[in-house]
């Protein structure tokens, strides 16, 4: 009996993903758990394993297509068997990585299935097809709130689902969602509005039909969008802005716990038409232009950095003389290499930053706008910006202050590899308290990085420069004969590491920033302290 | 009507060629799908053949007659008589012209139109009962647009010559001397008024203590006033128990030459015909929905999502058969949504309001929420009215009965408009646009409306809402 395997939730509340590659072909014999395809979500590329052994009769989607939970992936059966109806009577859910028992049903529609095979191709929220008894208003409310009426028990007469049933289903759902994804920007007004409770009455939504159409296409819940037009009318731009995904590639920050709004459970995120996904070349009067999709990851980066760019920030630039540190690094590198760890200056900088943060707590902080409080974080989770082929990712090094330089080196290496392979888990992308961006690995003299909100500052580490410079006076007084003040200053080749600190001026002033960077410098210039314990 | 041979398979099978079905077929075909439309009677459905169009055609004629009767009031003398055969022929001409228009569009867009009755065999296959046999057809997707049917009440079979449903009433075989209408909903009132104006003595029987529940008290009062003027008797709280053919001897005494005696909780009513208008139910007979495994609700309406998909995502349902207000313009939009969705576009039914018009006298039109509905839904609203008595245009048309009422939210966003009066149906479109665009009462009030027209009534109501009314 042929069965169709559906794309099911791959965890982390992901509703959709792009099919990037098929790992099987029609006619191929496959085994249970063998990967069927790769789906790119906001955060990672995941393999979808088969829940069946058999022969692939049909692939239901094509590469590049946006898949929604509930969409058919493949039909598996005996060679030569005819393929059942479009949404086959027998469905089976592909199980991602958990050993969730594959649901297999016979052709009888009465056999209970744990996930009703009603999912419309558009989205989960639209799958309220066989919605039980509910008035149109209630149905609409459910649609607005992304509540599946099939899963709501009606409290009205004859099992009628009432508005309050839907509201309470929604609030329990968002509680779940709150637990699942705490990665929402803390202080964007738009999202604060979003958190302001249940979606408003549909009649009160001020949006023209064309705007509502766009919202539907983009899967934006208008009840949660604040209109910027006259009298609060929602414009097309408002909808587009609200469409920025809620999850974050660019380090999902840990917003101040108190102000974390419940994630506005992204309801239907329908597939953009194929045309908008393709790269196409257009001839223009001025020459050829290429149009390519603005990818989900870039959208997330865009949303977060636009937020960041709106903050009053200042970049303070300094440089550390790392000649001594470089020597240590050269020496220790050999040991590290033996252990398969690439030792760069970065782990030392991480270490120095943690020490400086402990001295200057206002830099390991965030601002809770709503409450008018500054949150000082007593944990030091350092975000490390990593350049990947699909865009900037910021994996998080947890409790960096407690780790040795060697451990840091090892973990940064691991996180960077995962980021490039896009196998980072959501929790490896969230919760940083301060970010370091190692722009120097690419080059450059100075830069003005953008803060990773809601953090207080970000440190850009530039490329180390070797320059002729005066050797510093020896601080060590044991050599009593050395009288630095009298001897002529000596010029020698020395190593300098430019440091660019961008800080949120609301939280710290320029003098504090200068002192903070001095503190980082101090540790880098006197590296012994960094090496306490095993390196 | 067969415009092509029935194919063995089709991308999209549309069942039913009413406003829902033919629009869905045309949309999907325009988007490149191979479409087969199966209709058991004629393209245009109930709306065109025995609903909106014939009723409005005849109501137009009836209003003409009625106006002529009152021409003397404004200094004109006219005598009218109704030639039933000619009037029927004119109605059929109107219907025929529109029907050919739909056929032509289908041909032009390459929709294969088949006359037959469709019956599901599986979720991907249907059997078509043709006038001369049967044939199976495989489909990728299907749209069910089979409409609705008048409900029959026990004892009043439409097979009886003197028992009519709206369809038979619109055939206009004769203008009865006496007509009993059972059910004072919108269709009963429209047809009752129509026959009254054409010359019948009409009695409307309603089992409930009130009538036309969607209207407010003031509207009902205006209708009652008009009924009196037209000699229409409205009997509320009146339960129909049965009827019998009147034997000449017995009938002679009490009911004159009436052919039927209708027994009701309020005594006998003598009449020549009975028109039953007690509502519509989904038309799914013969479809074998269970074979397609398509779900219906407790009343038999097919359940769908806002993209019109049933529990079988490749099968859609639109129009009357999926419930909601049974209106052709609702079916139209649903047809577009289903046709486009079936052709692979991501669309949904997103309209805020579905306007409705009752072609009574005065005409009644509504869009969006009434004050009462809004309050029931927990919304804080305000409302204001403008009476047509204060409208120059209405008085110049000798039609000052009625009003415009606007309902708006606290921040003056227009949520609903009700119009009772001349050409209310033509006026309501502007209100629909205002509500859909989220216009404020002030936006409306500040838009100049031409003088002297009925549309000024809308701006006047808006100004009254803002406390700035000049004319009332
Ligand atoms: C007297 C009257 C007045 C009305 N006035 C108005 C009005 O003023 N304004 C308004 O908006 N609405 C009005 N309506 C309602 C309007 O007619 C309906 O809402 C509209 O026709 C619904 O369209 P539809 O496409 O859903 O179904 P229909 O128009 O009913 O079309 C369904 C079609 O499917 C066909 N069919 C059914 N089963 C099968 C099958 N198994 N195989 C093949 N074909 C099948 C039928 O023959 C029919 O042609 C009125 C109705 C009546 C009765």
């Amino acid at each position: 009996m042929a069965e169709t395997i559906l794309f099911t939730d791959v965890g982390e509340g992901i509703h959709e993903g792009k099919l990037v590659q098929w790992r099987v072909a029609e006619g191929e014999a496959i085994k249970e758990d063998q990967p069927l395809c790769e789906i790119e979500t906001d955060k990672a590329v995941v393999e979808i394993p088969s829940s069946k052994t058999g022969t692939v009769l049909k692939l239901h989607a094509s590469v590049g297509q946006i898949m929604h939970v509930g969409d058919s992936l493949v039909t598996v059966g005996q060679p030569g068997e005819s393929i059942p109806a479009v949404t086959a009577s027998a469905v089976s859910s592909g199980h991602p990585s958990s050993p969730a028992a594959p649901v297999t049903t016979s052709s009888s529609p009465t056999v209970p299935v744990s996930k009703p095979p009603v999912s419309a191709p558009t989205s989960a929220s639209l799958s309220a097809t066989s919605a039980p008894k509910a008035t149109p208003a209630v149905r609409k409310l459910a649609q607005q709130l992304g509540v599946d009426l099939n899963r709501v028990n009606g409290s009205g007469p004859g099992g009628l689902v009432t508005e309050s049933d839907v509201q309470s289903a929604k609030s329990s759902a968002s509680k779940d969602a709150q637990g699942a994804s705490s990665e929402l920007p803390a202080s964007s007004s738009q999202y604060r509005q979003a958190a302001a409770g249940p979606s408003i009455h549909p009649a009160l939504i001020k949006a023209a039909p064309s705007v509502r159409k766009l919202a539907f296409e983009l899967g934006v819940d208008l009840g949660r969008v604040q209109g910027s037009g006259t009298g609060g009318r929602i414009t097309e731009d408002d909808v587009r802005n609200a469409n920025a995904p809620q999850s974050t590639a660019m380090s999902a920050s840990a917003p101040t716990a108190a102000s974390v709004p419940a994630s506005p459970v992204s309801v239907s995120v329908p597939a953009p038409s194929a045309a908008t996904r393709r790269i196409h070349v257009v001839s223009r009067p001025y020459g050829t232009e290429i149009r390519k999709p603005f990818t989900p990851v870039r959208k997330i980066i865009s949303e977060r950095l636009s937020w960041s760019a709106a903050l009053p920030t200042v970049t303070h630039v300094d440089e550390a003389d790392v000649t001594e540190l470089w020597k240590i690094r050269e020496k220790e590198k050999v040991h590290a290499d033996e252990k398969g760890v690439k030792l760069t200056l970065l782990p030392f900088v991480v270490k120095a930053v943690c020490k400086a943060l402990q001295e200057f707590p206002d830099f390991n902080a965030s601002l809770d706008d709503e409450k008018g409080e500054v949150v000082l974080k007593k944990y030091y989770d350092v975000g490390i910006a990593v350049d990947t082929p699909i865009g900037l990712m910021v994996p998080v090094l947890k409790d960096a202050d407690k780790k040795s330089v060697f451990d840091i080196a090892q973990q940064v290496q691991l996180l960077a590899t995962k980021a490039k392979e896009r196998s980072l888990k959501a929790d490896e992308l969230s919760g940083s308290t301060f970010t370091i961006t190692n722009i120097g690995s690419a080059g450059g003299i100075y830069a003005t990085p953008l803060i990773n909100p809601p953090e207080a500052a970000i440190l850009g580490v530039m490329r180390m420069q070797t320059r002729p410079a005066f050797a510093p006076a020896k601080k060590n007084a044991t050599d009593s004969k050395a009288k630095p003040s009298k001897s002529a200053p000596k010029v020698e080749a020395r190593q300098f590491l430019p440091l660019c600190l961008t800080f949120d001026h609301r939280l710290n002033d320029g003098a504090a920033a200068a002192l903070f960077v001095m503190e980082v410098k101090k540790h880098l210039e006197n590296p012994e302290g960094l090496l306490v314990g095993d390196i | 009507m067969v415009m092509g041979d029935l194919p063995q398979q089709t991308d999209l099978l549309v069942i039913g060629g009413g406003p829902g079905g033919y629009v869905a077929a045309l949309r999907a075909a325009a988007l490149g799908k191979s479409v087969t439309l199966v209709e058991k009677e004629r393209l245009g459905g109930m709306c065109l053949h025995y609903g909106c169009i014939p009723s409005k055609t005849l109501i137009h004629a009836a209003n003409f007659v009625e106006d002529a009767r009152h021409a003397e009031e404004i200094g004109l003398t006219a005598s009218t008589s109704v030639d039933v055969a000619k009037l029927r022929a004119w109605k059929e001409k109107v219907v025929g012209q529109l029907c050919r228009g739909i056929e032509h569009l289908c041909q032009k867009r390459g929709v294969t139109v088949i006359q037959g009755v469709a019956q599901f065999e599986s979720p991907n296959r249907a059997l078509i009962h043709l006038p001369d046999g049967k044939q199976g057809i495989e489909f990728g997707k299907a749209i069910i647009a089979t409409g609705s049917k008048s409900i029959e009440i026990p004892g009043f079979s439409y097979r009886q010559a003197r028992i009519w449903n709206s369809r038979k009433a619109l055939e206009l075989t004769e203008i009865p001397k006496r007509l009993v209408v059972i059910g004072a909903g919108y269709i009963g009132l429209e047809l009752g008024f129509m026959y009254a104006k054409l010359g019948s003595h009409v009695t409307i029987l309603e089992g409930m203590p009130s009538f036309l529940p969607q209207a407010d008290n003031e509207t009902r009062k205006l209708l009652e006033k008009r009924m009196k003027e037209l000699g229409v008797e409205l009997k509320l709280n009146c339960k129909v128990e049965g009827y019998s053919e009147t034997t000449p001897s017995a009938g002679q005494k009490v009911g004159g030459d009436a052919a039927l005696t209708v027994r009701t909780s309020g005594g006998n009513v003598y009449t020549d015909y009975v028109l039953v208008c007690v509502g519509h139910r989904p038309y799914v007979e013969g479809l074998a929905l269970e074979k397609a495994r398509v779900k219906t609700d407790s009343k038999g309406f097919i359940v769908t999502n806002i993209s019109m998909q049933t529990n079988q995502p490749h099968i859609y349902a639109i129009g009357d058969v999926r419930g909601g207000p049974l209106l052709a313009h609702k079916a139209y939009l649903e047809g577009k949504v289903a046709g486009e969705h079936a052709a692979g576009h991501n669309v949904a039914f997103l309209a805020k309001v579905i306007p409705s018009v009752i072609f009574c006298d005065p005409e009644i039109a509504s869009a969006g929420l009434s004050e009462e509905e809004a309050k029931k839904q927990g919304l804080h609203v305000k409302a204001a009215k403008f009476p047509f008595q204060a409208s120059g245009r209405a008085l110049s048309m000798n039609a000052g009965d009625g009003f415009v009422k606007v309902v708006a939210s606290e921040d003056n966003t227009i949520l609903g408009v009700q119009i009772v009066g001349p050409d209310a149906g033509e006026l309501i479109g502007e209100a629909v646009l205002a509500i859909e665009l989220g216009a404020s009462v002030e936006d409306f009030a500040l838009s100049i409306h031409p003088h002297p027209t009925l549309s000024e009534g809308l701006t006047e109501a808006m100004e009254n809402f803002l406390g700035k009314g000049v004319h009332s």
Side-chain angles (χ1 to χ4, degrees):
Chain A
M1 173 73 217
E3 283 180 29
T4 298
I5 298 177
L6 307 180
F7 173 44
T8 54
D9 191 343
V10 294
E12 299 153 22
I14 288 166
H15 301 296
E16 66 163 2
K18 181 163 137 189
L19 176 59
V20 285
Q21 197 187 334
W22 278 114
R23 298 277 291 271
V24 296
E26 285 181 11
E28 186 179 330
I30 56 161
K31 288 226 163 66
E32 184 171 340
D33 282 336
Q34 181 176 337
L36 293 172
C37 61
E38 291 173 15
I39 303 256
E40 172 189 330
T41 70
D42 283 351
K43 290 169 185 147
V45 174
V46 286
E47 279 179 357
I48 308 292
S50 173
S51 54
K52 270 233 21 148
T53 298
T55 297
V56 177
L57 299 178
K58 187 169 170 61
L59 304 181
H60 290 285
S62 43
V63 170
Q65 192 173 327
I66 302 297
M67 305 297 296
H68 298 271
V69 169
D71 286 355
S72 304
L73 285 172
V74 298
T75 300
V76 178
Q78 300 302 317
E81 192 176 344
S82 74
I83 299 156
V86 178
T87 40
S89 49
V91 291
S92 156
S93 51
H95 55 100
S97 45
S98 62
V103 182
T104 36
T105 71
S106 76
S107 63
S108 158
T110 52
V111 174
V113 281
S114 69
K115 271 200 174 164
V118 292
S119 359
T122 39
S123 81
S125 73
L126 288 182
S127 67
T129 48
S130 51
K133 286 184 203 163
T135 62
V138 171
R139 263 182 270 159
K140 195 162 175 185
L141 181 69
Q143 206 272 328
Q144 291 282 354
L145 299 184
V147 170
D148 186 348
L149 279 177
N150 286 309
R151 286 153 204 251
V152 179
N153 288 328
S155 68
L160 196 78
V161 178
T162 66
E163 287 197 15
S164 54
D165 294 338
V166 172
Q167 303 279 19
S168 47
K170 166 66 184 175
S171 57
S172 58
S174 45
K175 263 181 230 138
D176 295 346
Q178 198 166 9
S181 66
S182 58
E183 326 123 282
L184 206 72
S187 57
S188 133
S189 63
Q190 208 157 18
Y191 288 106
R192 223 176 299 136
Q193 154 80 10
S199 194
I200 63 167
H201 190 290
L204 301 177
I205 295 172
K206 286 190 236 176
S210 52
V211 174
R212 293 206 296 276
K213 182 164 187 271
L214 179 70
F216 176 78
E217 283 165 4
L218 298 178
V220 170
D221 175 358
L222 284 175
R224 297 169 182 284
V225 177
Q226 209 164 31
S228 68
T230 343
R233 283 198 190 82
I234 300 171
T235 66
E236 291 195 5
D237 281 346
D238 295 336
V239 172
R240 288 202 187 90
N241 292 340
N243 184 39
Q246 281 89 38
S247 57
T248 59
M250 209 224 134
S251 162
S253 48
T256 57
S259 68
V260 183
S263 162
V265 172
S266 114
V267 283
S268 53
V269 186
S273 66
T276 64
R277 287 277 159 190
R278 248 182 279 125
I279 295 183
H280 49 124
V281 179
V282 195
S283 280
R284 294 269 172 224
Y286 312 108
T288 300
E289 293 174 357
I290 292 174
R291 292 188 158 247
K292 61 177 191 173
F294 197 56
T295 61
V297 170
R298 288 242 67 91
K299 266 195 233 161
I300 295 165
I301 293 172
S302 150
E303 131 91 0
R304 292 188 59 83
L305 292 183
S306 306
W307 177 18
S308 175
L311 299 173
T313 58
V314 172
T315 303
H316 178 85
V317 178
D318 202 336
E319 61 181 9
D321 181 333
V322 291
T323 315
E324 293 307 309
L325 180 61
W326 187 247
K327 283 183 193 148
I328 293 174
R329 182 260 176 193
E330 291 292 89
K331 201 174 101 212
E332 296 298 336
K333 191 174 171 292
V334 188
H335 303 299
D337 282 346
E338 279 165 14
K339 294 180 189 167
V341 176
K342 208 176 128 212
L343 189 63
T344 64
L345 281 182
L346 184 64
F348 295 95
V349 177
V350 172
K351 205 72 197 157
V353 162
C354 286
K355 286 183 182 293
L357 288 174
Q358 281 160 344
E359 286 296 309
F360 292 84
D362 283 337
F363 286 91
N364 199 48
S366 64
L367 179 60
D368 184 343
D369 240 349
E370 246 164 50
K371 293 228 170 104
E373 289 173 353
V374 176
V375 186
L376 304 178
K377 292 164 187 170
K378 289 296 150 198
Y379 51 96
Y380 302 88
D381 292 352
V382 177
I384 307 289
V386 177
D387 183 42
T388 78
I390 56 157
L392 183 62
M393 296 268 178
V394 188
V396 180
L397 189 64
K398 299 265 153 72
D399 294 325
D401 59 315
K402 301 205 178 83
K403 296 194 161 78
S404 68
V405 168
F406 187 83
D407 282 348
I408 294 173
Q410 197 167 30
Q411 288 211 19
V412 166
Q413 193 176 331
L414 185 72
L415 288 171
T417 313
K418 280 181 157 187
K420 284 177 184 144
E421 290 171 352
R422 279 190 287 164
S423 56
L424 288 165
K425 303 249 167 56
D427 68 328
E428 291 173 314
L429 279 165
S430 57
S432 58
T433 60
F434 184 96
T435 296
I436 296 177
T437 171
N438 189 16
I439 316 162
S441 60
I445 302 172
Y446 296 114
T448 58
L450 285 174
I451 283 184
N452 181 15
E455 293 166 21
I458 182 169
L459 183 69
V461 181
M462 305 308 298
R463 172 159 289 185
M464 189 185 77
Q465 304 163 4
T466 303
R467 293 200 307 256
F470 293 115
K474 282 272 185 299
K475 274 178 234 139
N476 200 332
T478 47
D479 185 358
S480 57
K481 274 169 244 167
K483 293 246 171 96
S485 54
K486 281 186 186 168
S487 62
K490 197 175 140 210
V491 173
E492 58 182 31
R494 295 199 70 87
Q495 274 80 35
F496 294 93
L497 187 67
L499 299 170
C500 309
L501 180 86
T502 298
F503 62 97
D504 185 339
H505 215 319
R506 296 174 306 170
L507 287 162
N508 288 290
D509 294 329
L515 291 173
F516 174 77
V517 178
M518 292 283 284
E519 184 74 15
V520 174
K521 252 175 84 163
K522 186 183 95 186
H523 291 296
L524 293 174
E525 292 180 351
N526 301 284
E528 306 77 27
L530 300 177
L531 302 175
V532 177
D534 184 16
I535 140 149
Chain B
M1 191 186 64
V2 179
M3 293 180 182
D5 288 335
L6 180 58
Q8 303 278 344
Q9 62 186 61
T10 183
D11 289 349
L12 177 63
L13 175 69
V14 179
I15 305 173
Y22 84 75
V23 166
L26 290 174
R27 282 307 294 149
L31 295 171
K33 297 283 142 187
S34 80
V35 182
T36 305
L37 171 57
V38 180
E39 163 58 55
K40 79 182 168 59
E41 294 184 27
R42 275 175 300 166
L43 289 181
M46 173 162 84
C47 167
L48 179 52
H49 298 282
Y50 38 95
C52 331
I53 299 297
S55 67
K56 270 79 253 185
T57 308
L58 296 178
I59 287 170
H60 173 76
N63 286 343
F64 221 119
V65 179
E66 176 64 11
D67 285 348
R69 260 184 221 123
H70 294 272
E72 245 182 80
E73 290 166 19
I74 58 174
L76 307 174
T77 25
S79 76
T80 46
S81 62
V82 181
D83 181 330
V84 175
K86 273 197 185 156
L87 181 52
R88 188 171 56 237
W90 177 61
K91 176 205 78 173
E92 272 152 22
K93 190 177 149 211
V94 172
V95 169
Q97 185 177 341
L98 290 169
C99 186
R100 280 192 303 282
I102 301 172
E103 284 171 6
H104 174 72
L105 285 173
C106 288
Q107 215 155 19
K108 202 169 88 179
R109 297 266 169 82
V111 174
T112 306
V113 179
I114 303 293
Q115 180 155 25
V117 179
Q119 180 176 25
F120 285 106
E121 289 190 316
S122 79
N124 278 88
R125 209 183 138 76
L127 187 66
I128 312 297
H129 299 266
L130 301 162
D132 53 354
K134 296 177 197 175
Q135 194 188 315
I137 185 168
E138 298 267 344
F139 56 85
K141 295 184 177 173
I143 297 178
I144 305 170
T146 49
S148 62
K149 253 192 139 163
S150 342
I151 294 174
E152 231 176 44
I153 43 178
F156 291 79
S157 165
Y158 298 135
R159 255 166 294 188
Q160 300 300 319
R162 290 186 179 273
I163 306 299
W164 288 351
N165 55 11
S166 54
R167 178 174 192 162
K168 283 166 83 178
L170 290 169
E171 279 165 14
L172 197 73
T173 44
E174 66 179 292
I175 296 169
K177 197 161 145 197
R178 308 171 197 79
L179 176 67
V180 159
V181 179
I182 302 178
Y186 93 88
I187 294 179
L189 290 175
E190 281 187 1
L191 298 181
F193 272 65
M194 178 190 98
Y195 271 105
K197 289 177 177 180
L198 289 174
S200 301
H201 177 264
V202 174
T203 308
I204 303 178
L205 310 180
E206 170 59 57
M208 297 304 213
S210 180
F211 68 104
L212 205 63
Q214 60 267 49
D216 62 7
N217 278 333
E218 186 174 351
T219 307
R220 276 191 289 268
K221 283 220 182 70
L222 287 169
L223 287 173
E224 278 173 297
K225 176 183 161 208
R226 198 74 187 101
M227 283 188 229
K228 275 207 187 90
E229 288 166 4
L230 291 168
V232 174
E233 274 182 78
L234 174 66
K235 298 190 173 205
L236 298 176
N237 277 319
C238 178
K239 305 234 165 20
V240 179
E241 286 156 4
Y243 77 96
S244 48
E245 307 259 338
T246 314
T247 52
S249 55
Q252 223 65 38
K253 276 187 217 145
V254 254
D257 57 353
L260 303 176
T261 305
V262 180
R263 294 187 303 280
T264 78
S265 56
N268 287 348
V269 182
Y270 303 95
T271 188
D272 300 309
Y273 287 90
V274 174
L275 165 56
V276 182
C277 295
V278 293
H280 282 241
R281 57 174 176 80
Y283 189 4
V284 293
E285 281 100 322
L287 266 181
L289 281 181
E290 66 289 351
K291 294 261 173 65
R293 294 200 275 275
V294 167
K295 284 190 200 155
T296 57
D297 69 10
S298 58
K299 288 185 176 157
F301 290 108
I302 299 176
V303 185
T304 79
N305 65 14
I306 58 170
S307 292
M308 304 297 126
Q309 294 168 290
T310 66
N311 59 307
Q312 297 281 2
H314 69 295
I315 301 181
Y316 301 76
I318 54 174
D320 285 3
V321 78
R322 75 172 282 269
L326 307 187
L327 292 167
H329 42 270
K330 181 194 110 230
Y332 280 135
L333 184 52
E334 292 178 350
K336 283 177 203 160
V337 169
E340 289 176 15
H341 201 279
H345 293 247
N346 181 33
V347 290
F349 189 99
L350 299 171
K352 263 192 191 173
V353 298
I354 302 171
S356 67
V357 184
I358 304 174
F359 293 82
C360 258
D361 190 358
E363 212 163 279
I364 301 163
S366 167
L369 298 172
S370 69
E371 193 177 1
E372 208 179 306
E373 284 165 345
K375 286 189 175 152
K376 255 190 220 154
Q377 295 181 22
L379 294 171
H380 298 280
V381 295
K382 289 194 296 172
K385 266 187 186 177
F386 172 79
F388 278 121
Q389 287 295 348
S391 154
R393 183 63 185 142
L395 293 185
S396 77
M397 292 167 74
N398 197 20
D401 276 353
F403 58 85
V404 176
K405 182 172 178 181
V406 56
V407 180
S409 67
E410 278 169 321
D411 70 349
N412 289 358
T413 306
I414 303 172
L415 302 181
V417 172
Q418 292 85 45
I419 306 174
V420 179
D423 290 339
E426 302 298 325
L427 295 174
I428 201 69
E430 190 182 8
V432 173
L433 187 63
I435 299 170
E436 290 288 354
L437 293 178
S440 71
V441 174
E442 192 162 35
D443 290 331
F444 210 125
L446 291 173
S447 309
I448 299 180
H449 285 61
H451 179 75
T453 63
L454 297 167
S455 70
E456 289 169 293
L458 282 159
T459 36
E460 294 285 348
M462 302 292 161
E463 289 186 337
N464 285 348
F465 185 98
L466 298 171
K468 295 179 180 170
V470 177
H471 294 104
S472 67

